Amino acid sequence: MELLKTAIREKGKVLSDEVLKVDHFLNHQVDTSLMIEIGLEFARRFEDDKITKVLTIESSGIAPSLMAANQLAVPLIFARKKKSLTMNQNVFVSQVYSFTKRETNDITVSKDFLQEGDRVLIIDDFLANGQAAKGLIDIVKQANAEIAGFGIVIEKSFQDGRQLLLEQGYRVESLARVHALENGEVKFVDELIESK
Ligand code: 5GP
């Protein structure tokens, strides 16, 4: 998705060979026009997949998921990282190791919102080593629901997440695929192919 790649190039900051900071448009300040385009693109890619729910994880997954769910005319559910006091025991729980925070968190989803028969599109801001995806898969499985695929805003293709999901037979649609973060620059997978 060219609009997204331009935002990454112009506003993203390469913090190390492994970490890309996108606080200017995705993770802190949010470019709402870009989020709408991202949501429309996810919805377009999954429009024939009979999605009944979009599932993401708070907080950075919410903005790109909102428009996708709206366009697909289904609810958006975000897994919570902290148990809310108003949440009773009626929850699915899994664990997620955070790549950026280097800590493990419980994530929870109320059993009221995910059931057998649901076809779930899982969306997240980044795919790195697939830990968030693993936790969300676990929750969908606990609900006996089905996963239609993954919509990822920024995939870091040099880490293991994509491979992990493909090996398990999941469809992965990433809007920007980063081949490498080198010398402060972002190299995209499709540029690599084009330059050959
Ligand atoms: P994974 O679970 O796939 O290892 O990592 C994905 C999660 O970690 C995402 O939900 C995202 O919040 C965070 N993350 C992973 N890599 C990056 C990165 O390079 N930059 C930012 N901003 N977040 C990342």
Side-chain angles (χ1 to χ4, degrees):
M1 190 180 168
E2 280 312 312
L3 207 60
L4 172 62
K5 280 165 61 184
T6 303
I8 295 170
R9 256 191 230 103
E10 292 180 356
K11 297 177 193 148
K13 289 201 175 66
V14 176
L15 289 192
S16 70
D17 288 356
E18 292 208 326
V19 180
L20 175 65
K21 190 169 175 172
V22 287
D23 277 13
H24 274 71
F25 60 94
L26 180 59
N27 286 160
H28 194 12
Q29 174 170 261
V30 175
D31 179 335
T32 56
S33 304
L34 179 61
M35 289 312 118
I36 287 173
E37 292 303 323
I38 285 172
L40 290 175
E41 181 62 22
F42 282 139
R44 194 184 61 71
R45 294 188 191 201
F46 287 95
E47 66 190 352
D48 297 326
D49 290 279
K50 301 188 170 60
I51 306 296
T52 65
K53 304 272 166 69
V54 171
L55 175 65
T56 189
I57 188 164
E58 69 175 357
S59 54
S60 298
I62 297 174
S65 306
L66 182 66
M67 193 63 191
N70 178 268
Q71 187 70 11
L72 291 165
V74 300
L76 163 64
I77 305 159
F78 58 90
R80 290 187 150 161
K81 286 182 182 159
K82 287 207 178 75
K83 241 188 222 160
S84 152
L85 285 176
T86 58
M87 252 187 177
N88 52 26
Q89 294 309 305
N90 190 37
V91 290
F92 303 115
V93 185
S94 192
Q95 280 77 41
V96 171
Y97 176 75
S98 164
F99 172 83
T100 44
K101 299 196 178 107
R102 313 229 178 261
E103 62 185 28
T104 301
N105 284 304
D106 276 356
I107 59 165
T108 54
V109 170
S110 166
K111 292 182 181 172
D112 290 342
F113 303 130
L114 212 52
Q115 287 101 14
E116 189 168 0
D118 273 325
R119 271 182 65 77
V120 182
L121 167 59
I122 297 177
I123 290 182
D124 205 3
D125 59 339
F126 274 89
L127 177 60
N129 293 304
Q131 295 303 305
K134 230 166 85 182
L136 292 169
I137 291 170
D138 184 27
I139 281 187
V140 176
K141 282 189 173 163
Q142 289 179 44
N144 290 318
E146 207 182 327
I147 295 170
F150 286 82
I152 301 296
V153 181
I154 305 174
E155 172 193 304
K156 292 187 293 177
S157 309
F158 55 89
Q159 291 173 310
D160 295 337
R162 181 187 181 84
Q163 198 51 33
L164 199 111
L165 295 178
L166 294 182
E167 277 167 12
Q168 293 178 49
Y170 294 117
R171 174 176 167 202
V172 181
E173 293 285 344
S174 303
L175 304 188
R177 299 186 62 203
V178 175
H179 166 68
L181 301 170
E182 278 172 359
N183 310 318
E185 276 185 31
V186 183
K187 302 243 166 14
F188 293 101
V189 169
D190 48 0
E191 290 168 349
L192 193 80
I193 296 162
E194 279 158 19
S195 67
K196 273 189 181 165

